[in-house]
PDB file of all heavy atoms in Angstrom:
ATOM      1  N   PHE B 856      34.221  18.370-219.387  1.00  0.00           N
ATOM      2  CA  PHE B 856      34.114  19.611-220.154  1.00  0.00           C
ATOM      3  C   PHE B 856      32.679  19.862-220.596  1.00  0.00           C
ATOM      4  O   PHE B 856      31.974  18.939-221.042  1.00  0.00           O
ATOM      5  CB  PHE B 856      35.025  19.515-221.376  1.00  0.00           C
ATOM      6  CG  PHE B 856      34.876  20.631-222.352  1.00  0.00           C
ATOM      7  CD1 PHE B 856      35.464  21.861-222.119  1.00  0.00           C
ATOM      8  CD2 PHE B 856      34.118  20.465-223.507  1.00  0.00           C
ATOM      9  CE1 PHE B 856      35.322  22.893-223.025  1.00  0.00           C
ATOM     10  CE2 PHE B 856      33.975  21.485-224.416  1.00  0.00           C
ATOM     11  CZ  PHE B 856      34.585  22.705-224.181  1.00  0.00           C
ATOM     12  N   LEU B 857      32.266  21.151-220.488  1.00  0.00           N
ATOM     13  CA  LEU B 857      30.926  21.540-220.932  1.00  0.00           C
ATOM     14  C   LEU B 857      30.975  22.515-222.112  1.00  0.00           C
ATOM     15  O   LEU B 857      30.382  22.274-223.152  1.00  0.00           O
ATOM     16  CB  LEU B 857      30.150  22.176-219.776  1.00  0.00           C
ATOM     17  CG  LEU B 857      29.837  21.274-218.587  1.00  0.00           C
ATOM     18  CD1 LEU B 857      29.199  22.081-217.466  1.00  0.00           C
ATOM     19  CD2 LEU B 857      28.922  20.125-219.004  1.00  0.00           C
ATOM     20  N   LEU B 858      31.661  23.640-221.901  1.00  0.00           N
ATOM     21  CA  LEU B 858      31.634  24.705-222.905  1.00  0.00           C
ATOM     22  C   LEU B 858      32.948  25.463-222.896  1.00  0.00           C
ATOM     23  O   LEU B 858      33.577  25.611-221.847  1.00  0.00           O
ATOM     24  CB  LEU B 858      30.519  25.725-222.587  1.00  0.00           C
ATOM     25  CG  LEU B 858      29.098  25.418-223.015  1.00  0.00           C
ATOM     26  CD1 LEU B 858      28.146  26.450-222.404  1.00  0.00           C
ATOM     27  CD2 LEU B 858      28.966  25.457-224.525  1.00  0.00           C
ATOM     28  N   LEU B 859      33.299  26.008-224.048  1.00  0.00           N
ATOM     29  CA  LEU B 859      34.441  26.911-224.174  1.00  0.00           C
ATOM     30  C   LEU B 859      33.964  28.194-224.818  1.00  0.00           C
ATOM     31  O   LEU B 859      33.149  28.168-225.753  1.00  0.00           O
ATOM     32  CB  LEU B 859      35.528  26.269-225.040  1.00  0.00           C
ATOM     33  CG  LEU B 859      36.763  27.117-225.369  1.00  0.00           C
ATOM     34  CD1 LEU B 859      37.985  26.227-225.473  1.00  0.00           C
ATOM     35  CD2 LEU B 859      36.582  27.894-226.671  1.00  0.00           C
ATOM     36  N   ILE B 860      34.474  29.324-224.341  1.00  0.00           N
ATOM     37  CA  ILE B 860      34.157  30.614-224.952  1.00  0.00           C
ATOM     38  C   ILE B 860      35.456  31.371-225.157  1.00  0.00           C
ATOM     39  O   ILE B 860      36.340  31.350-224.302  1.00  0.00           O
ATOM     40  CB  ILE B 860      33.131  31.408-224.101  1.00  0.00           C
ATOM     41  CG1 ILE B 860      32.679  32.670-224.829  1.00  0.00           C
ATOM     42  CG2 ILE B 860      33.670  31.725-222.721  1.00  0.00           C
ATOM     43  CD1 ILE B 860      31.429  33.313-224.226  1.00  0.00           C
ATOM     44  N   ARG B 861      35.583  32.020-226.293  1.00  0.00           N
ATOM     45  CA  ARG B 861      36.791  32.768-226.628  1.00  0.00           C
ATOM     46  C   ARG B 861      36.641  34.214-226.163  1.00  0.00           C
ATOM     47  O   ARG B 861      35.535  34.718-225.999  1.00  0.00           O
ATOM     48  CB  ARG B 861      37.026  32.738-228.130  1.00  0.00           C
ATOM     49  CG  ARG B 861      37.407  31.373-228.655  1.00  0.00           C
ATOM     50  CD  ARG B 861      37.469  31.334-230.172  1.00  0.00           C
ATOM     51  NE  ARG B 861      38.099  30.142-230.681  1.00  0.00           N
ATOM     52  CZ  ARG B 861      37.544  28.944-230.745  1.00  0.00           C
ATOM     53  NH1 ARG B 861      36.306  28.784-230.316  1.00  0.00           N
ATOM     54  NH2 ARG B 861      38.204  27.902-231.208  1.00  0.00           N
ATOM     55  N   GLU B 862      37.747  34.903-226.030  1.00  0.00           N
ATOM     56  CA  GLU B 862      37.721  36.271-225.501  1.00  0.00           C
ATOM     57  C   GLU B 862      36.945  37.223-226.396  1.00  0.00           C
ATOM     58  O   GLU B 862      36.426  38.233-225.929  1.00  0.00           O
ATOM     59  CB  GLU B 862      39.146  36.792-225.289  1.00  0.00           C
ATOM     60  CG  GLU B 862      39.969  36.879-226.555  1.00  0.00           C
ATOM     61  CD  GLU B 862      41.330  37.494-226.326  1.00  0.00           C
ATOM     62  OE1 GLU B 862      41.490  38.268-225.371  1.00  0.00           O
ATOM     63  OE2 GLU B 862      42.243  37.188-227.114  1.00  0.00           O
ATOM     64  N   ASN B 863      36.877  36.923-227.688  1.00  0.00           N
ATOM     65  CA  ASN B 863      36.153  37.818-228.598  1.00  0.00           C
ATOM     66  C   ASN B 863      34.689  37.405-228.776  1.00  0.00           C
ATOM     67  O   ASN B 863      33.975  37.981-229.598  1.00  0.00           O
ATOM     68  CB  ASN B 863      36.853  37.889-229.948  1.00  0.00           C
ATOM     69  CG  ASN B 863      36.962  36.541-230.622  1.00  0.00           C
ATOM     70  OD1 ASN B 863      36.572  35.528-230.052  1.00  0.00           O
ATOM     71  ND2 ASN B 863      37.490  36.521-231.829  1.00  0.00           N
ATOM     72  N   GLU B 864      34.251  36.419-228.013  1.00  0.00           N
ATOM     73  CA  GLU B 864      32.847  36.002-228.044  1.00  0.00           C
ATOM     74  C   GLU B 864      32.162  36.531-226.797  1.00  0.00           C
ATOM     75  O   GLU B 864      32.709  36.463-225.694  1.00  0.00           O
ATOM     76  CB  GLU B 864      32.731  34.481-228.079  1.00  0.00           C
ATOM     77  CG  GLU B 864      33.275  33.855-229.350  1.00  0.00           C
ATOM     78  CD  GLU B 864      33.186  32.333-229.303  1.00  0.00           C
ATOM     79  OE1 GLU B 864      33.536  31.746-228.259  1.00  0.00           O
ATOM     80  OE2 GLU B 864      32.775  31.747-230.318  1.00  0.00           O
ATOM     81  N   LYS B 865      30.980  37.041-226.958  1.00  0.00           N
ATOM     82  CA  LYS B 865      30.241  37.569-225.806  1.00  0.00           C
ATOM     83  C   LYS B 865      29.417  36.481-225.139  1.00  0.00           C
ATOM     84  O   LYS B 865      29.190  36.501-223.922  1.00  0.00           O
ATOM     85  CB  LYS B 865      29.308  38.700-226.259  1.00  0.00           C
ATOM     86  CG  LYS B 865      30.037  39.891-226.801  1.00  0.00           C
ATOM     87  CD  LYS B 865      30.753  40.644-225.706  1.00  0.00           C
ATOM     88  CE  LYS B 865      31.363  41.909-226.265  1.00  0.00           C
ATOM     89  NZ  LYS B 865      32.329  42.507-225.348  1.00  0.00           N
ATOM     90  N   GLU B 866      28.938  35.543-225.945  1.00  0.00           N
ATOM     91  CA  GLU B 866      27.984  34.559-225.438  1.00  0.00           C
ATOM     92  C   GLU B 866      28.119  33.264-226.231  1.00  0.00           C
ATOM     93  O   GLU B 866      28.423  33.267-227.424  1.00  0.00           O
ATOM     94  CB  GLU B 866      26.571  35.137-225.609  1.00  0.00           C
ATOM     95  CG  GLU B 866      25.455  34.291-225.064  1.00  0.00           C
ATOM     96  CD  GLU B 866      24.112  34.984-225.270  1.00  0.00           C
ATOM     97  OE1 GLU B 866      23.897  36.059-224.700  1.00  0.00           O
ATOM     98  OE2 GLU B 866      23.280  34.406-226.014  1.00  0.00           O
ATOM     99  N   LYS B 867      27.871  32.164-225.549  1.00  0.00           N
ATOM    100  CA  LYS B 867      27.879  30.844-226.188  1.00  0.00           C
ATOM    101  C   LYS B 867      26.764  30.026-225.582  1.00  0.00           C
ATOM    102  O   LYS B 867      26.536  30.080-224.362  1.00  0.00           O
ATOM    103  CB  LYS B 867      29.221  30.157-225.901  1.00  0.00           C
ATOM    104  CG  LYS B 867      29.577  29.020-226.829  1.00  0.00           C
ATOM    105  CD  LYS B 867      30.187  29.525-228.081  1.00  0.00           C
ATOM    106  CE  LYS B 867      30.824  28.437-228.926  1.00  0.00           C
ATOM    107  NZ  LYS B 867      32.179  28.108-228.465  1.00  0.00           N
ATOM    108  N   ARG B 868      26.084  29.256-226.429  1.00  0.00           N
ATOM    109  CA  ARG B 868      24.962  28.445-225.931  1.00  0.00           C
ATOM    110  C   ARG B 868      25.140  26.987-226.345  1.00  0.00           C
ATOM    111  O   ARG B 868      25.684  26.679-227.395  1.00  0.00           O
ATOM    112  CB  ARG B 868      23.644  28.956-226.492  1.00  0.00           C
ATOM    113  CG  ARG B 868      23.200  30.285-225.966  1.00  0.00           C
ATOM    114  CD  ARG B 868      21.921  30.749-226.645  1.00  0.00           C
ATOM    115  NE  ARG B 868      21.560  32.094-226.252  1.00  0.00           N
ATOM    116  CZ  ARG B 868      20.632  32.378-225.338  1.00  0.00           C
ATOM    117  NH1 ARG B 868      19.975  31.415-224.740  1.00  0.00           N
ATOM    118  NH2 ARG B 868      20.361  33.632-225.021  1.00  0.00           N
ATOM    119  N   LYS B 869      24.645  26.116-225.481  1.00  0.00           N
ATOM    120  CA  LYS B 869      24.600  24.692-225.800  1.00  0.00           C
ATOM    121  C   LYS B 869      23.430  24.093-225.038  1.00  0.00           C
ATOM    122  O   LYS B 869      23.463  23.963-223.816  1.00  0.00           O
ATOM    123  CB  LYS B 869      25.902  24.001-225.392  1.00  0.00           C
ATOM    124  CG  LYS B 869      25.941  22.518-225.699  1.00  0.00           C
ATOM    125  CD  LYS B 869      27.246  21.918-225.195  1.00  0.00           C
ATOM    126  CE  LYS B 869      27.259  20.410-225.389  1.00  0.00           C
ATOM    127  NZ  LYS B 869      28.507  19.811-224.844  1.00  0.00           N
ATOM    128  N   GLU B 870      22.386  23.802-225.761  1.00  0.00           N
ATOM    129  CA  GLU B 870      21.159  23.252-225.167  1.00  0.00           C
ATOM    130  C   GLU B 870      20.682  24.176-224.041  1.00  0.00           C
ATOM    131  O   GLU B 870      20.381  25.349-224.306  1.00  0.00           O
ATOM    132  CB  GLU B 870      21.414  21.815-224.698  1.00  0.00           C
ATOM    133  CG  GLU B 870      21.763  20.887-225.857  1.00  0.00           C
ATOM    134  CD  GLU B 870      22.223  19.514-225.420  1.00  0.00           C
ATOM    135  OE1 GLU B 870      22.395  19.277-224.212  1.00  0.00           O
ATOM    136  OE2 GLU B 870      22.422  18.676-226.309  1.00  0.00           O
ATOM    137  N   ARG B 871      20.606  23.720-222.806  1.00  0.00           N
ATOM    138  CA  ARG B 871      20.106  24.569-221.715  1.00  0.00           C
ATOM    139  C   ARG B 871      21.209  25.402-221.066  1.00  0.00           C
ATOM    140  O   ARG B 871      20.961  26.103-220.082  1.00  0.00           O
ATOM    141  CB  ARG B 871      19.449  23.683-220.643  1.00  0.00           C
ATOM    142  CG  ARG B 871      18.186  22.978-221.112  1.00  0.00           C
ATOM    143  CD  ARG B 871      17.505  22.201-219.976  1.00  0.00           C
ATOM    144  NE  ARG B 871      18.330  21.097-219.488  1.00  0.00           N
ATOM    145  CZ  ARG B 871      18.907  21.077-218.294  1.00  0.00           C
ATOM    146  NH1 ARG B 871      18.741  22.089-217.454  1.00  0.00           N
ATOM    147  NH2 ARG B 871      19.616  20.030-217.925  1.00  0.00           N
ATOM    148  N   LEU B 872      22.403  25.332-221.592  1.00  0.00           N
ATOM    149  CA  LEU B 872      23.528  26.054-221.007  1.00  0.00           C
ATOM    150  C   LEU B 872      23.833  27.320-221.790  1.00  0.00           C
ATOM    151  O   LEU B 872      23.746  27.339-223.021  1.00  0.00           O
ATOM    152  CB  LEU B 872      24.776  25.165-220.993  1.00  0.00           C
ATOM    153  CG  LEU B 872      24.646  23.777-220.384  1.00  0.00           C
ATOM    154  CD1 LEU B 872      25.967  23.041-220.456  1.00  0.00           C
ATOM    155  CD2 LEU B 872      24.139  23.858-218.952  1.00  0.00           C
ATOM    156  N   LYS B 873      24.190  28.381-221.067  1.00  0.00           N
ATOM    157  CA  LYS B 873      24.623  29.615-221.718  1.00  0.00           C
ATOM    158  C   LYS B 873      25.780  30.191-220.928  1.00  0.00           C
ATOM    159  O   LYS B 873      25.756  30.224-219.696  1.00  0.00           O
ATOM    160  CB  LYS B 873      23.491  30.637-221.758  1.00  0.00           C
ATOM    161  CG  LYS B 873      23.867  31.910-222.514  1.00  0.00           C
ATOM    162  CD  LYS B 873      22.705  32.893-222.587  1.00  0.00           C
ATOM    163  CE  LYS B 873      22.662  33.815-221.396  1.00  0.00           C
ATOM    164  NZ  LYS B 873      21.674  34.914-221.568  1.00  0.00           N
ATOM    165  N   VAL B 874      26.812  30.604-221.629  1.00  0.00           N
ATOM    166  CA  VAL B 874      27.973  31.209-220.992  1.00  0.00           C
ATOM    167  C   VAL B 874      28.187  32.598-221.577  1.00  0.00           C
ATOM    168  O   VAL B 874      28.074  32.778-222.797  1.00  0.00           O
ATOM    169  CB  VAL B 874      29.247  30.363-221.231  1.00  0.00           C
ATOM    170  CG1 VAL B 874      30.474  31.090-220.714  1.00  0.00           C
ATOM    171  CG2 VAL B 874      29.128  29.016-220.552  1.00  0.00           C
ATOM    172  N   THR B 875      28.495  33.560-220.720  1.00  0.00           N
ATOM    173  CA  THR B 875      28.889  34.881-221.191  1.00  0.00           C
ATOM    174  C   THR B 875      30.303  35.160-220.715  1.00  0.00           C
ATOM    175  O   THR B 875      30.771  34.588-219.723  1.00  0.00           O
ATOM    176  CB  THR B 875      27.929  35.971-220.684  1.00  0.00           C
ATOM    177  OG1 THR B 875      27.990  36.003-219.255  1.00  0.00           O
ATOM    178  CG2 THR B 875      26.515  35.717-221.158  1.00  0.00           C
ATOM    179  N   PHE B 876      30.971  36.061-221.426  1.00  0.00           N
ATOM    180  CA  PHE B 876      32.379  36.365-221.131  1.00  0.00           C
ATOM    181  C   PHE B 876      32.566  37.860-221.322  1.00  0.00           C
ATOM    182  O   PHE B 876      32.454  38.367-222.441  1.00  0.00           O
ATOM    183  CB  PHE B 876      33.268  35.581-222.088  1.00  0.00           C
ATOM    184  CG  PHE B 876      34.728  35.534-221.747  1.00  0.00           C
ATOM    185  CD1 PHE B 876      35.224  36.042-220.560  1.00  0.00           C
ATOM    186  CD2 PHE B 876      35.634  34.953-222.621  1.00  0.00           C
ATOM    187  CE1 PHE B 876      36.567  35.981-220.246  1.00  0.00           C
ATOM    188  CE2 PHE B 876      36.994  34.884-222.325  1.00  0.00           C
ATOM    189  CZ  PHE B 876      37.462  35.397-221.136  1.00  0.00           C
ATOM    190  N   ASP B 877      32.813  38.565-220.228  1.00  0.00           N
ATOM    191  CA  ASP B 877      32.988  40.011-220.279  1.00  0.00           C
ATOM    192  C   ASP B 877      34.422  40.315-219.850  1.00  0.00           C
ATOM    193  O   ASP B 877      34.744  40.269-218.664  1.00  0.00           O
ATOM    194  CB  ASP B 877      31.977  40.694-219.343  1.00  0.00           C
ATOM    195  CG  ASP B 877      31.968  42.198-219.503  1.00  0.00           C
ATOM    196  OD1 ASP B 877      33.043  42.787-219.771  1.00  0.00           O
ATOM    197  OD2 ASP B 877      30.896  42.797-219.353  1.00  0.00           O
TER     198      ASP B 877
END
Side-chain angles (χ1 to χ4, degrees):
Chain B
F856 172 79
L857 295 174
L858 278 171
L859 176 147
I860 187 166
R861 291 173 168 77
E862 62 176 335
N863 59 356
E864 294 178 315
K865 296 289 185 194
E866 183 179 296
K867 199 83 168 277
R868 290 177 186 260
K869 180 183 175 182
E870 297 171 354
R871 294 185 295 110
L872 308 180
K873 184 178 88 171
V874 173
T875 62
F876 193 7
D877 188 326

